[in-house]
Amino acid sequence: MSSSSPPDPAATTAPGAGNTGPSSSAPAPEVRPAFSLGGQQGTPSYSQLLQDIKTGRVESLELSPGQRLVTATFKDGKTRQVPIFSDNQQLLRTAEQAKVPLSVRDERRDDAMAGLVTNGLLVILLIAGLTLLVRRSAQVANKALGFGRSQPRLQEEGAIAVRFEDVAGITEAKEELQEVVTFLRTPERFTSIGARIPKGVLLVGPPGTGKTLLARAIAGEAGVPFFSMAATEFVEMFVGVGASRVRDLFRKAKAKAPCIIFIDEIDAVGRQRGAGIGGGNDEREQTLNQLLTEMDGFEDNSGVILLAATNRLDVLDTALLRPGRFDRRISVDLPDRAGREEILSVHARTRPLAAEVSLADWARRTPGFSGADLANLLNEAAILTARRQKSQVDDQAIGDALERITMGLAAAPLQDSAKKRLIAYHEIGHALLTTLVPHADKLDKVTLLPRAGGVGGFARTMPDEDILDSGLISKAYLRARLVVALGGRAAEIVVFGPSEVTQGASSDLQLVRRICRDMVLRYGFSSLGPLALEEEGEEVFLGRDWIRSSPHTSVRTGNRIDEQVRKLAVEALEKAVAVLTPRRELIDELVNRLIELETIDGDSFRSLVETYEERGSAVAAQTGGKADVEAAQVGV
Ligand code: ADP
Ligand code: ZN
């Protein structure tokens, strides 16, 4: 269940995180997650599907053994194709246990052999499916090369009824994409003044937050055709098929320009080439190369706009993110309380609600829900209402539906509890330090919303634009970052005592290690002197770290490096504790506020802190004491 080596959280959000600086300690927008809730980070969509089946979200399944695909139809009407392994016992068993009907696609006629399949039959079908797979692979190859199936789904202009008003709770993303709509409608306005519209827009965010919906809304608003395909559909078992599908897709799209191409789950083809362990995948690389070629091949302003969605910005090949390709990234986050209320009202438009129902209350009770979850909630409630032969969806129905949905969720959204308080203290620790410590990044927001990655909450910071632009990192800046990174652990120490600290800070500690090592080994920021003990760019991606040897250092130097690294970290923790200790009252206040609101944005947070600090210094001035004021000016 646990995912191996979690990706650098700093790289998962926010524009520019991947390639702004020479190393991980370069300024980059950053999310500091805490407290793994045993979630789904990096889970391949196969296990996600199993989870969805178990939690009753899947309506039916259709197996296509020849393509090694299973098509899942979800209760919310969505379908998704997921590649399966040849040994899909697990899938069959899970489907059987959850009583989800499963059918097998008869590929000779290429239509579905529908029907419910019950217990004993499942095994026979599996064997039949596998036999089919082996026997017909040659035939399939021929057909596949001629694009036998998996055509891009095309919706003609006018066919798309989705509008921006159907997408709620993600205002920023909508605003950014408004421009694309304007361009598709009146390209002359841009071309006449020589403006270049991005050809590729990457929507980054957890599943179900409305990325597909947003892409369709753009096509709907602009009245242009919409081509969509999941990247998993490109990747076939025969080398070359994916690439030719990409070519085919772009050829068709160009003929229909202006139009939109939407590629879902682009990480399925867009993973870093030749990195990591276990070698590459020829088919995937060819497909990716073809995609890059196609993107370079169509001219600016040709009217084809490529939108792609992913949950894993960190694993994407950097070539995809270069200018002229997916050079615009828009993050689509899980909605906060206000956003959830908006989304609920969008989905309540077609469903008669009883007068008693307060969507604001339901938004309060659904922390961590994505747009898709909320849509599902109201849909389930409507189903229950129909079953009870009532004409209006009431609180009872929504409550029962909520129960049904959350009971099964792997990482249940946190309700108020001791654990939630602990996470709140931890995150407030980060947020407060980044606000108080000079040179530190600016707080963007602090939140207790659990993320799809199985994270209980986070404090997100934004680097100073000057630092970002200049690319110059000062020693003071890095020391401030260390203090902030250790802020979560420090808060736990201050509030709960040194023996009560939790493992929730483990990803913070990894960040600390990286920063400290960079300071000592690469930037000469320690008493070891102005020496780079490591070449630039040596440390890049996953596996490479493992096979690297350190030719520049002797054992003795190695020991001294470790010593310096430890010293930096210990000093930073001491500093963090020193800043937090005199502010216990403020910390409690902020924690209560955070638990109430779930999210506090940077500006509100800063003004809360400012008010408190002013109060503190007024008291100090009256009593003649200066302790608090001095503590506010901790230098780092
Ligand atoms: P993603 O592509 O991010 O995984 P989708 O766009 O497929 O998510 O969302 C699935 C469904 O959930 C949508 O069709 C819509 O009904 C609902 N939904 C998701 N996000 C939103 C939103 N922001 N506003 C309204 N409905 C939403
Ligand atoms: Zn933390």
Side-chain angles (χ1 to χ4, degrees), residues 562-636:
D562 288 345
E563 211 172 279
Q564 289 296 320
V565 165
R566 188 164 307 122
K567 184 156 165 269
L568 284 170
V570 168
E571 280 173 5
L573 184 63
E574 281 168 0
K575 199 128 283 181
V577 170
V579 180
L580 293 181
T581 306
R583 292 183 172 78
R584 201 32 228 282
E585 208 183 311
L586 172 62
I587 296 174
D588 289 340
E589 242 175 69
L590 291 170
V591 162
N592 289 335
R593 177 85 54 136
L594 183 62
I595 286 176
E596 192 203 335
L597 299 177
E598 287 175 11
T599 302
I600 306 181
D601 67 83
D603 288 336
S604 319
F605 191 91
R606 275 182 288 280
S607 82
L608 287 171
V609 173
E610 224 166 82
T611 317
Y612 176 91
E613 296 289 309
E614 273 163 18
R615 231 191 302 151
S617 46
V619 173
Q622 269 173 14
T623 57
K626 288 203 312 193
D628 264 9
V629 190
E630 266 166 12
Q633 286 148 8
V634 219
V636 289

Coordinates of all heavy atoms in Angstrom, one line a residue, residues 562-636:
D562 N 29.6 15.6 7.3 CA 28.5 15.2 8.1 C 28.3 16.1 9.3 O 27.2 16.4 9.7 CB 28.7 13.7 8.5 CG 28.5 12.8 7.4 OD1 28.0 13.2 6.3 OD2 28.9 11.6 7.5
E563 N 29.4 16.4 9.9 CA 29.4 17.2 11.1 C 28.7 18.6 10.8 O 27.9 19.1 11.6 CB 30.8 17.4 11.5 CG 31.1 17.6 13.0 CD 32.6 17.6 13.2 OE1 33.2 16.5 13.2 OE2 33.2 18.7 13.2
Q564 N 29.2 19.2 9.7 CA 28.7 20.5 9.3 C 27.2 20.4 9.0 O 26.4 21.3 9.4 CB 29.4 21.0 8.1 CG 30.9 21.4 8.4 CD 30.9 22.6 9.3 OE1 30.2 23.5 9.3 NE2 31.9 22.5 10.3
V565 N 26.8 19.4 8.3 CA 25.4 19.3 7.9 C 24.6 19.2 9.2 O 23.6 19.9 9.3 CB 25.2 18.0 7.1 CG1 23.8 17.6 7.0 CG2 25.8 18.2 5.7
R566 N 25.1 18.4 10.2 CA 24.3 18.2 11.4 C 24.2 19.6 12.2 O 23.2 19.9 12.7 CB 25.0 17.2 12.3 CG 24.1 16.8 13.5 CD 24.6 15.5 14.1 NE 24.6 14.4 13.2 CZ 25.7 13.7 12.9 NH1 26.9 14.0 13.5 NH2 25.7 12.8 12.0
K567 N 25.3 20.3 12.2 CA 25.4 21.5 12.9 C 24.3 22.5 12.3 O 23.6 23.1 13.1 CB 26.8 22.1 12.8 CG 27.0 23.4 13.5 CD 28.5 23.5 13.8 CE 28.9 24.9 14.3 NZ 29.2 25.8 13.2
L568 N 24.3 22.6 11.0 CA 23.3 23.5 10.4 C 21.9 23.2 10.8 O 21.1 24.0 11.2 CB 23.4 23.5 8.9 CG 24.6 24.2 8.2 CD1 24.7 23.8 6.8 CD2 24.5 25.7 8.4
A569 N 21.6 21.9 10.8 CA 20.3 21.5 11.1 C 19.9 21.7 12.5 O 18.8 22.2 12.9 CB 20.1 20.0 10.7
V570 N 20.8 21.4 13.4 CA 20.6 21.6 14.8 C 20.4 23.1 15.2 O 19.4 23.4 15.9 CB 21.7 21.0 15.7 CG1 21.6 21.4 17.1 CG2 21.7 19.5 15.6
E571 N 21.2 23.9 14.6 CA 21.1 25.3 14.8 C 19.7 25.8 14.4 O 19.1 26.6 15.0 CB 22.2 26.1 14.1 CG 23.5 26.1 14.8 CD 24.6 26.7 14.0 OE1 24.3 27.3 12.9 OE2 25.8 26.6 14.5
A572 N 19.3 25.3 13.2 CA 18.0 25.8 12.7 C 16.9 25.4 13.6 O 16.0 26.2 13.8 CB 17.8 25.3 11.3
L573 N 16.9 24.2 14.1 CA 15.9 23.7 15.0 C 15.8 24.5 16.2 O 14.8 25.0 16.7 CB 16.0 22.2 15.3 CG 14.9 21.6 16.1 CD1 13.6 21.7 15.4 CD2 15.2 20.2 16.5
E574 N 17.0 24.8 16.8 CA 17.1 25.7 18.0 C 16.4 27.0 17.7 O 15.7 27.5 18.5 CB 18.5 25.8 18.5 CG 19.0 24.6 19.2 CD 20.5 24.6 19.4 OE1 21.2 25.6 19.0 OE2 21.0 23.7 20.0
K575 N 16.8 27.6 16.6 CA 16.2 28.9 16.3 C 14.7 28.8 16.2 O 14.0 29.7 16.7 CB 16.8 29.4 14.9 CG 16.7 30.8 14.7 CD 18.0 31.5 14.3 CE 18.9 31.6 15.5 NZ 20.2 32.3 15.2
A576 N 14.2 27.8 15.5 CA 12.8 27.7 15.3 C 12.1 27.6 16.7 O 11.1 28.2 16.9 CB 12.5 26.4 14.5
V577 N 12.7 26.8 17.6 CA 12.1 26.6 18.9 C 12.1 28.0 19.6 O 11.1 28.4 20.3 CB 12.8 25.5 19.7 CG1 12.3 25.5 21.1 CG2 12.5 24.2 19.1
A578 N 13.2 28.7 19.4 CA 13.3 30.0 20.1 C 12.3 31.0 19.7 O 11.8 31.8 20.4 CB 14.7 30.5 19.9
V579 N 11.9 30.9 18.4 CA 10.9 31.9 17.9 C 9.5 31.5 18.4 O 8.7 32.3 18.7 CB 10.9 32.0 16.3 CG1 9.9 32.9 15.9 CG2 12.3 32.4 15.9
L580 N 9.3 30.2 18.4 CA 7.9 29.7 18.7 C 7.6 29.8 20.2 O 6.5 30.1 20.6 CB 7.7 28.3 18.2 CG 7.7 28.2 16.6 CD1 7.4 26.7 16.2 CD2 6.7 29.1 16.0
T581 N 8.6 29.5 21.0 CA 8.3 29.4 22.5 C 7.6 30.6 23.1 O 6.6 30.4 23.7 CB 9.7 29.1 23.2 OG1 10.3 27.9 22.6 CG2 9.4 28.8 24.7
P582 N 8.1 31.8 22.9 CA 7.3 32.9 23.5 C 6.0 33.2 22.9 O 5.3 34.1 23.3 CB 8.3 34.1 23.3 CG 9.1 33.7 22.1 CD 9.2 32.3 22.1
R583 N 5.6 32.5 21.8 CA 4.4 32.8 21.1 C 3.3 31.7 21.2 O 2.5 31.5 20.4 CB 4.7 33.0 19.6 CG 5.5 34.3 19.4 CD 5.8 34.6 18.0 NE 6.4 35.8 17.8 CZ 7.7 36.1 18.0 NH1 8.5 35.1 18.4 NH2 8.2 37.3 17.9
R584 N 3.4 31.0 22.3 CA 2.4 29.9 22.5 C 1.0 30.4 22.3 O 0.2 29.7 21.7 CB 2.6 29.4 24.0 CG 2.2 28.0 24.3 CD 2.3 27.0 23.2 NE 1.0 26.3 23.2 CZ 0.7 25.3 24.0 NH1 1.6 24.9 24.9 NH2 -0.5 24.8 24.0
E585 N 0.6 31.5 22.9 CA -0.7 32.0 22.8 C -1.2 32.2 21.4 O -2.2 31.8 21.0 CB -0.8 33.3 23.6 CG -2.1 33.7 24.2 CD -2.0 35.1 24.9 OE1 -1.0 35.3 25.6 OE2 -2.8 35.9 24.6
L586 N -0.3 32.9 20.6 CA -0.6 33.1 19.2 C -0.8 31.8 18.5 O -1.7 31.7 17.6 CB 0.6 33.9 18.6 CG 0.5 34.1 17.1 CD1 -0.7 34.9 16.6 CD2 1.8 34.9 16.6
I587 N 0.1 30.9 18.8 CA 0.0 29.6 18.1 C -1.3 28.9 18.3 O -2.0 28.5 17.4 CB 1.2 28.6 18.6 CG1 2.5 29.2 18.2 CG2 1.0 27.2 18.0 CD1 3.7 28.4 18.7
D588 N -1.8 28.9 19.6 CA -3.1 28.4 19.9 C -4.2 29.1 19.1 O -5.1 28.4 18.6 CB -3.4 28.5 21.4 CG -2.5 27.5 22.2 OD1 -2.0 26.5 21.6 OD2 -2.3 27.7 23.4
E589 N -4.1 30.4 19.1 CA -5.1 31.2 18.4 C -5.2 30.8 16.9 O -6.3 30.5 16.4 CB -4.7 32.7 18.5 CG -5.7 33.6 19.2 CD -5.1 35.0 19.3 OE1 -5.0 35.6 18.2 OE2 -4.8 35.4 20.4
L590 N -4.0 30.7 16.3 CA -4.0 30.4 14.9 C -4.4 29.0 14.6 O -5.1 28.7 13.6 CB -2.5 30.6 14.4 CG -2.0 32.0 14.3 CD1 -0.5 32.1 14.1 CD2 -2.8 32.8 13.3
V591 N -4.1 28.1 15.5 CA -4.5 26.7 15.3 C -6.1 26.6 15.4 O -6.7 26.0 14.5 CB -3.9 25.8 16.4 CG1 -4.7 24.4 16.5 CG2 -2.4 25.5 16.0
N592 N -6.7 27.3 16.3 CA -8.1 27.3 16.4 C -8.7 27.8 15.1 O -9.7 27.3 14.6 CB -8.6 28.1 17.6 CG -8.3 27.3 18.9 OD1 -8.2 26.1 18.9 ND2 -8.2 28.0 20.0
R593 N -8.1 28.9 14.7 CA -8.6 29.6 13.5 C -8.5 28.6 12.3 O -9.4 28.5 11.5 CB -7.8 30.9 13.3 CG -8.2 31.6 12.1 CD -9.3 32.6 12.2 NE -9.2 33.5 13.3 CZ -9.5 34.8 13.2 NH1 -9.9 35.3 12.1 NH2 -9.4 35.6 14.3
L594 N -7.4 28.0 12.2 CA -7.1 27.1 11.0 C -8.1 25.9 11.1 O -8.7 25.5 10.0 CB -5.7 26.6 11.1 CG -5.3 25.7 9.9 CD1 -5.4 26.4 8.6 CD2 -3.9 25.1 10.1
I595 N -8.4 25.4 12.2 CA -9.3 24.3 12.3 C -10.7 24.7 11.9 O -11.4 24.0 11.2 CB -9.3 23.6 13.7 CG1 -8.0 22.8 13.9 CG2 -10.5 22.7 13.9 CD1 -7.8 22.3 15.2
E596 N -11.0 26.0 12.3 CA -12.4 26.5 11.9 C -12.5 26.7 10.4 O -13.4 26.3 9.8 CB -12.6 27.7 12.7 CG -14.1 28.2 12.6 CD -14.2 29.7 12.9 OE1 -13.4 30.2 13.5 OE2 -15.2 30.2 12.4
L597 N -11.4 27.3 9.8 CA -11.5 27.8 8.4 C -11.0 26.8 7.4 O -11.2 26.9 6.3 CB -10.8 29.1 8.3 CG -11.3 30.3 9.1 CD1 -10.4 31.5 8.8 CD2 -12.7 30.6 8.7
E598 N -10.1 25.8 7.9 CA -9.5 24.9 7.0 C -8.3 25.5 6.2 O -7.3 24.8 6.1 CB -10.4 24.2 6.1 CG -11.3 23.2 6.8 CD -12.3 22.6 5.8 OE1 -12.2 22.8 4.6 OE2 -13.3 22.0 6.3
T599 N -8.6 26.6 5.7 CA -7.5 27.3 4.9 C -7.4 28.7 5.3 O -8.4 29.4 5.5 CB -7.8 27.2 3.4 OG1 -8.0 25.9 3.0 CG2 -6.7 27.8 2.6
I600 N -6.1 29.2 5.5 CA -5.9 30.6 5.8 C -5.0 31.1 4.7 O -3.9 30.5 4.5 CB -5.3 30.9 7.1 CG1 -6.2 30.2 8.3 CG2 -5.2 32.4 7.4 CD1 -5.6 30.5 9.7
D601 N -5.4 32.1 3.9 CA -4.5 32.6 2.9 C -3.4 33.4 3.5 O -3.5 33.9 4.6 CB -5.2 33.3 1.8 CG -5.8 34.6 2.3 OD1 -5.1 35.6 2.3 OD2 -7.0 34.6 2.7
G602 N -2.3 33.7 2.8 CA -1.1 34.3 3.3 C -1.4 35.7 3.9 O -1.0 36.0 5.0
D603 N -2.2 36.5 3.2 CA -2.5 37.9 3.6 C -3.2 37.9 5.0 O -2.8 38.6 5.9 CB -3.3 38.7 2.6 CG -2.4 39.0 1.4 OD1 -1.2 39.0 1.6 OD2 -3.0 39.2 0.3
S604 N -4.3 37.1 5.1 CA -5.0 37.0 6.3 C -4.1 36.6 7.5 O -4.1 37.1 8.6 CB -6.2 36.1 6.3 OG -6.8 36.2 5.0
F605 N -3.3 35.6 7.1 CA -2.4 35.0 8.2 C -1.4 36.1 8.7 O -1.3 36.3 9.9 CB -1.6 33.8 7.6 CG -0.8 33.0 8.6 CD1 -1.4 32.0 9.2 CD2 0.5 33.4 8.9 CE1 -0.7 31.2 10.2 CE2 1.2 32.7 9.9 CZ 0.6 31.6 10.5
R606 N -0.8 36.8 7.7 CA 0.1 37.9 8.1 C -0.6 39.0 8.9 O 0.0 39.4 9.9 CB 0.7 38.5 6.9 CG 1.9 37.7 6.4 CD 2.6 38.4 5.2 NE 1.8 38.2 4.0 CZ 1.7 37.1 3.2 NH1 2.5 36.1 3.5 NH2 1.0 37.1 2.2
S607 N -1.8 39.3 8.6 CA -2.4 40.4 9.4 C -2.8 39.9 10.8 O -2.7 40.6 11.8 CB -3.6 41.0 8.7 OG -4.8 40.2 8.8
L608 N -3.1 38.6 10.9 CA -3.4 38.0 12.3 C -2.1 38.1 13.1 O -2.1 38.5 14.3 CB -3.8 36.6 12.2 CG -5.2 36.3 11.7 CD1 -5.4 34.8 11.4 CD2 -6.2 36.8 12.7
V609 N -1.0 37.7 12.5 CA 0.3 37.7 13.2 C 0.7 39.1 13.6 O 1.1 39.4 14.7 CB 1.4 37.0 12.3 CG1 2.7 37.2 13.0 CG2 1.1 35.6 12.1
E610 N 0.5 40.1 12.6 CA 0.9 41.4 12.9 C 0.1 42.0 14.1 O 0.7 42.7 15.0 CB 0.5 42.3 11.6 CG 1.6 43.2 11.2 CD 1.3 43.7 9.8 OE1 0.5 44.6 9.7 OE2 1.9 43.1 8.8
T611 N -1.2 41.8 14.1 CA -2.1 42.3 15.2 C -1.5 41.8 16.5 O -1.4 42.5 17.5 CB -3.5 41.8 15.0 OG1 -3.9 41.9 13.6 CG2 -4.4 42.6 15.9
Y612 N -1.2 40.5 16.5 CA -0.7 39.9 17.7 C 0.6 40.5 18.2 O 0.8 40.9 19.3 CB -0.6 38.4 17.6 CG 0.0 37.7 18.8 CD1 -0.8 37.2 19.8 CD2 1.4 37.6 18.9 CE1 -0.2 36.6 20.9 CE2 2.0 37.0 20.0 CZ 1.1 36.5 21.0 OH 1.7 35.9 22.1
E613 N 1.5 40.7 17.2 CA 2.8 41.2 17.5 C 2.7 42.6 18.0 O 3.5 43.0 19.0 CB 3.8 41.1 16.3 CG 4.0 39.7 15.8 CD 5.0 38.9 16.7 OE1 6.0 39.4 17.1 OE2 4.6 37.8 17.1
E614 N 1.8 43.4 17.5 CA 1.6 44.8 17.9 C 1.1 44.8 19.4 O 1.6 45.5 20.2 CB 0.7 45.5 17.0 CG 1.4 46.1 15.8 CD 0.4 46.5 14.7 OE1 -0.8 46.6 15.0 OE2 0.9 46.7 13.6
R615 N 0.1 43.9 19.6 CA -0.4 43.8 20.9 C 0.8 43.5 21.9 O 0.9 44.1 22.9 CB -1.4 42.7 21.0 CG -2.7 43.1 21.6 CD -3.6 41.8 21.9 NE -3.9 41.1 20.7 CZ -4.1 39.7 20.7 NH1 -4.0 39.1 21.8 NH2 -4.3 39.1 19.6
G616 N 1.6 42.5 21.5 CA 2.7 42.0 22.3 C 3.7 43.2 22.6 O 4.0 43.4 23.8
S617 N 4.0 44.0 21.6 CA 5.0 45.0 21.9 C 4.4 46.1 22.7 O 5.1 46.8 23.4 CB 5.6 45.5 20.6 OG 4.6 45.7 19.6
A618 N 3.0 46.4 22.5 CA 2.4 47.4 23.4 C 2.5 47.0 24.8 O 2.9 47.8 25.7 CB 0.9 47.5 23.0
V619 N 2.2 45.7 25.1 CA 2.3 45.2 26.5 C 3.7 45.3 27.0 O 4.0 45.8 28.1 CB 1.8 43.7 26.5 CG1 2.1 43.2 27.9 CG2 0.3 43.6 26.2
A620 N 4.6 44.9 26.1 CA 6.0 45.0 26.5 C 6.5 46.4 26.8 O 7.2 46.7 27.8 CB 6.9 44.4 25.4
A621 N 6.0 47.4 26.0 CA 6.3 48.8 26.2 C 5.8 49.3 27.6 O 6.5 49.9 28.3 CB 5.8 49.6 25.1
Q622 N 4.5 48.8 27.9 CA 3.9 49.2 29.1 C 4.7 48.7 30.3 O 5.0 49.4 31.3 CB 2.5 48.7 29.2 CG 1.5 49.7 28.7 CD 0.1 49.1 28.6 OE1 -0.1 48.1 29.2 NE2 -0.8 49.8 27.9
T623 N 5.0 47.4 30.3 CA 5.7 46.8 31.4 C 7.2 47.0 31.4 O 7.9 46.6 32.3 CB 5.4 45.3 31.4 OG1 5.9 44.8 30.2 CG2 4.0 45.0 31.6
G624 N 7.6 47.6 30.4 CA 9.1 47.9 30.3 C 9.9 46.7 29.9 O 11.1 46.8 29.7
G625 N 9.2 45.5 29.7 CA 9.9 44.3 29.2 C 10.2 44.4 27.7 O 9.4 45.0 27.0
K626 N 11.3 43.8 27.3 CA 11.5 43.8 25.9 C 11.6 42.4 25.3 O 11.9 42.3 24.1 CB 12.9 44.5 25.6 CG 12.8 46.1 25.9 CD 13.8 46.8 25.1 CE 15.2 46.1 25.4 NZ 16.4 46.7 25.0
A627 N 11.4 41.4 26.1 CA 11.7 40.0 25.7 C 11.0 39.7 24.4 O 11.6 39.2 23.4 CB 11.3 39.1 26.8
D628 N 9.7 40.0 24.4 CA 8.9 39.6 23.2 C 9.3 40.3 21.9 O 9.4 39.7 20.9 CB 7.4 39.9 23.4 CG 6.7 38.7 24.0 OD1 7.4 37.7 24.3 OD2 5.5 38.7 24.0
V629 N 9.6 41.6 22.1 CA 10.0 42.4 20.9 C 11.3 41.8 20.3 O 11.5 41.7 19.1 CB 10.2 43.8 21.3 CG1 10.3 44.7 20.0 CG2 9.0 44.3 22.1
E630 N 12.2 41.5 21.2 CA 13.5 41.0 20.8 C 13.3 39.7 20.0 O 13.9 39.5 19.0 CB 14.4 40.9 21.9 CG 15.3 42.1 22.1 CD 16.0 42.1 23.4 OE1 16.0 41.1 24.1 OE2 16.5 43.2 23.8
A631 N 12.4 38.9 20.6 CA 12.3 37.6 20.0 C 11.7 37.7 18.6 O 11.9 36.8 17.8 CB 11.3 36.7 20.9
A632 N 11.0 38.8 18.4 CA 10.4 39.0 17.1 C 11.4 39.2 16.0 O 11.2 39.1 14.8 CB 9.4 40.1 17.1
Q633 N 12.6 39.6 16.4 CA 13.6 40.0 15.5 C 14.8 38.9 15.4 O 15.9 39.3 15.4 CB 14.2 41.4 15.8 CG 13.2 42.4 15.4 CD 13.3 43.6 16.4 OE1 14.2 43.7 17.2 NE2 12.4 44.5 16.3
V634 N 14.3 37.7 15.4 CA 15.4 36.7 15.4 C 16.1 36.8 14.1 O 15.6 36.7 13.0 CB 14.7 35.3 15.4 CG1 15.5 34.4 16.3 CG2 13.3 35.4 15.8
G635 N 17.4 37.0 14.2 CA 18.2 37.0 13.0 C 18.5 35.5 12.6 O 18.6 34.7 13.5
V636 N 18.7 35.3 11.3 CA 19.2 34.0 11.0 C 20.4 34.1 10.1 O 20.6 35.2 9.5 CB 18.1 33.1 10.3 CG1 17.0 32.7 11.2 CG2 17.5 33.9 9.1

